[in-house]
Amino acid sequence: MKLNYRRTLLISLAFMSICAFWQLYDTIIPLILQNTFHFGETVTGTVMALDNVLAVFLLPVFGAFSDKVDTRIGKRIPFILFGTIGAVILMMILPIADARENLFLFVAVLLILLITMGSYRSPAVALMPDVTPKPLRSKANALINLMGAAGGVYSLIMIKKLIKQVEKPDYTQVFLAVAILMLVAVAILVSSIREKKIKITAAPQDEEDILEAGTNKLTKEVQRSLVFLLSSIFLWFMAYNAVTTAFSRYAIKVWGLKGGEFADCLMVATVAAILSYIPIGFLSGKIGRKKMIIAGVILLAASYAAGMLFTEFSPWINVLFAITGIAWAAINVNSYPMVVQMSKGSDVGKYTGLYYTFSMSAQVITPIASGFLLEHISYQSLFPYAVIFSLLSLCTMIFVKHGDVRPGKKDSILESFDN
């Protein structure tokens, strides 16, 4: 049984377009809210948390809804196609509202846009397991994750190249560049994949002995590990997402960067993460997932602590962000597999939901909490905030005793990317 790389690559175009959009959203929307509409840090953080709040409700609803849909072009592709078209139309209104300083138009369109994006993310993600046999989903997920990262890098490059270093830049060109990528990617997907004609056969899934004898309940030791692991996930997302959400504003106001210069640091972190996936996957198989995560958390805390030392921009900051990217890859590659390792095969979806419940809850809370500190204390509070939550996640991760099963020999290096 071999993975159909061509088909997987085509399917991954949907995820690539989604990641390109969210990179643009996370980077540019906070700048518009503050520089054009003069929102404070707390309100800006609240607005930036809306997508995660909506996602908590929208993703499971539309995922389940797409399971029941049956159209001539399939059950997932209609959501991807019409969701992308709607999102592109709506996102191109945002720079117009920004230029006209029309707050009502901007907020109304932004809210509808977030709902539109939430309507097709789950169907887009579900398309891969729909058309990929279970034994091959690790390889498929690796390729999809790489394509998603490529979408994020594309948006960062466009931000760097198309945003002028002026007091009030025009964001129309960068929004258009991302919109074109989204349309082209999904057009290729829809024209190439015949969802209803693809048939796969199910395959058995190995399970770890984690249940109490004669029951379907997790042992108390496994439950304890699961609680500590989910707590760790919540805490390191509190740290990481605070920095990624506020970084564009921090770089401009503290380090004095202009235009899209701040995108260089984010690009360095993303590329470093991509390049580190293979060695991290190899090392995780050698030394174990837990040790790799702990090493990543320590590196993450150290890089944030070092960030506190810079009062103006220095090329050394790019080195720190490279370390941040490697650290986050070490955490992200191993945390989700540890969660589902503590589940039986029939409950993988349930435990996947647990993973995203804790990670997305943190992404709802941390922009608001960190934004409050930025506004009422100082921008200098950003990195100490991230250090504290990183170290807290280290404390909880130490108590995780299960889910650290060393994988067998990989059939392909692509499996090292599975997260």
Side-chain angles (χ1 to χ4, degrees):
M1 186 182 295
K2 293 183 178 180
L3 178 66
N4 187 326
Y5 284 99
R6 177 182 177 275
R7 185 170 68 200
T8 305
L9 182 65
L10 291 169
I11 290 171
S12 69
L13 291 173
F15 190 63
M16 182 182 73
S17 71
I18 290 170
C19 291
F21 170 84
W22 287 116
Q23 184 65 67
L24 177 72
Y25 174 87
D26 288 337
T27 307
I28 300 302
I29 296 302
L31 298 179
I32 294 175
L33 292 175
Q34 289 198 326
N35 298 336
T36 300
F37 301 113
H38 310 294
F39 283 14
E41 292 293 346
T42 304
V43 177
T44 298
T46 302
V47 173
M48 294 306 295
L50 277 178
D51 64 301
N52 296 306
V53 174
L54 290 171
V56 170
F57 301 99
L58 293 175
L59 297 190
V61 169
F62 280 96
F65 182 37
S66 67
D67 287 337
K68 302 175 182 178
V69 168
D70 184 17
T71 73
R72 185 174 58 85
I73 60 175
K75 58 183 181 179
R76 315 290 188 192
I77 286 182
F79 290 88
I80 298 171
L81 175 61
F82 295 109
T84 301
I85 293 172
V88 165
I89 293 172
L90 291 165
M91 67 186 285
M92 290 311 303
I93 299 175
L94 295 180
I96 297 174
D98 172 52
R100 297 181 179 180
E101 299 187 6
N102 188 325
L103 177 59
F104 176 80
L105 177 63
F106 185 87
V107 172
V109 171
L110 186 65
L111 180 60
I112 300 172
L113 174 60
L114 293 177
I115 295 172
T116 303
M117 291 299 300
S119 71
Y120 76 94
R121 178 163 183 164
S122 285
V125 172
L127 183 59
M128 184 275 284
D130 279 349
V131 300
T132 308
K134 287 184 178 180
L136 302 178
R137 288 175 185 171
S138 290
K139 295 179 182 179
N141 195 41
L143 187 55
I144 286 173
N145 286 335
L146 286 174
M147 291 294 286
V153 170
Y154 171 85
S155 290
L156 290 173
I157 293 173
M158 293 300 102
I159 290 168
K160 171 68 175 177
K161 299 297 183 181
L162 298 179
I163 298 179
K164 296 180 180 178
Q165 297 183 22
V166 295
E167 184 175 350
K168 184 171 173 34
D170 182 359
Y171 296 114
T172 303
Q173 289 185 344
V174 71
F175 272 79
L176 180 61
V178 174
I180 290 173
L181 174 70
M182 293 171 68
L183 287 175
V184 171
V186 171
I188 295 172
L189 165 63
V190 173
S191 63
S192 304
I193 296 295
R194 299 292 181 263
E195 184 183 346
K196 297 195 72 172
K197 294 182 179 180
I198 301 173
K199 304 292 183 183
I200 65 170
T201 56
Q205 180 174 333
D206 293 331
E207 296 181 4
E208 183 185 4
D209 185 13
I210 56 173
L211 304 178
E212 292 182 353
T215 73
N216 285 324
K217 293 178 59 178
L218 297 177
T219 65
K220 291 183 179 179
E221 293 79 8
V222 175
Q223 290 182 36
R224 174 184 169 90
S225 287
L226 182 61
V227 169
F228 278 116
L229 179 56
L230 292 172
S231 300
S232 301
I233 290 167
F234 175 83
L235 291 167
W236 62 54
F237 268 98
M238 286 287 290
Y240 182 79
N241 196 250
V243 174
T244 57
T245 302
F247 180 71
S248 58
R249 292 164 283 158
Y250 183 94
I252 290 172
K253 295 190 177 184
V254 176
W255 292 338
L257 299 184
K258 297 180 179 179
E261 288 181 329
F262 59 83
D264 285 344
C265 298
L266 300 176
M267 199 181 312
V268 166
T270 302
V271 172
I274 292 171
L275 295 177
S276 66
Y277 283 144
I278 289 178
I280 284 172
F282 175 79
L283 287 173
S284 299
K286 293 292 184 181
I287 68 175
R289 295 168 179 164
K290 178 180 174 180
K291 290 180 180 178
M292 205 69 215
I293 288 177
I294 288 176
V297 171
I298 292 172
L299 276 179
L300 192 69
S303 65
Y304 289 151
M308 293 187 292
L309 304 177
F310 292 91
T311 57
E312 60 183 18
F313 182 78
S314 164
W316 286 104
I317 291 173
N318 288 321
V319 176
L320 290 181
F321 271 80
I323 295 172
T324 301
I326 295 170
W328 188 244
I331 295 168
N332 208 33
V333 162
N334 291 290
S335 55
Y336 174 67
M338 287 192 75
V339 171
V340 295
Q341 188 69 34
M342 289 184 269
S343 70
K344 51 193 180 72
S346 59
D347 285 338
V348 168
K350 172 184 174 182
Y351 282 75
T352 301
L354 277 175
Y355 173 87
Y356 282 109
T357 296
F358 278 78
S359 64
M360 295 184 70
S361 295
Q363 294 176 67
V364 170
I365 296 169
T366 200
I368 301 172
S370 61
F372 180 86
L373 295 177
L374 294 179
E375 181 176 5
H376 295 286
I377 297 180
S378 168
Y379 269 87
Q380 304 291 348
S381 65
L382 178 63
F383 284 117
Y385 175 97
V387 170
I388 290 170
F389 279 102
S390 297
L391 293 177
L392 287 173
S393 72
L394 177 62
C395 294
T396 53
M397 190 65 204
I398 290 172
F399 293 100
V400 177
K401 305 298 183 183
H402 296 81
D404 194 10
V405 176
R406 293 185 179 182
K409 184 178 179 181
K410 303 292 186 181
D411 293 330
S412 164
I413 58 174
L414 275 173
E415 291 192 25
S416 299
F417 291 86
D418 184 35
N419 61 6

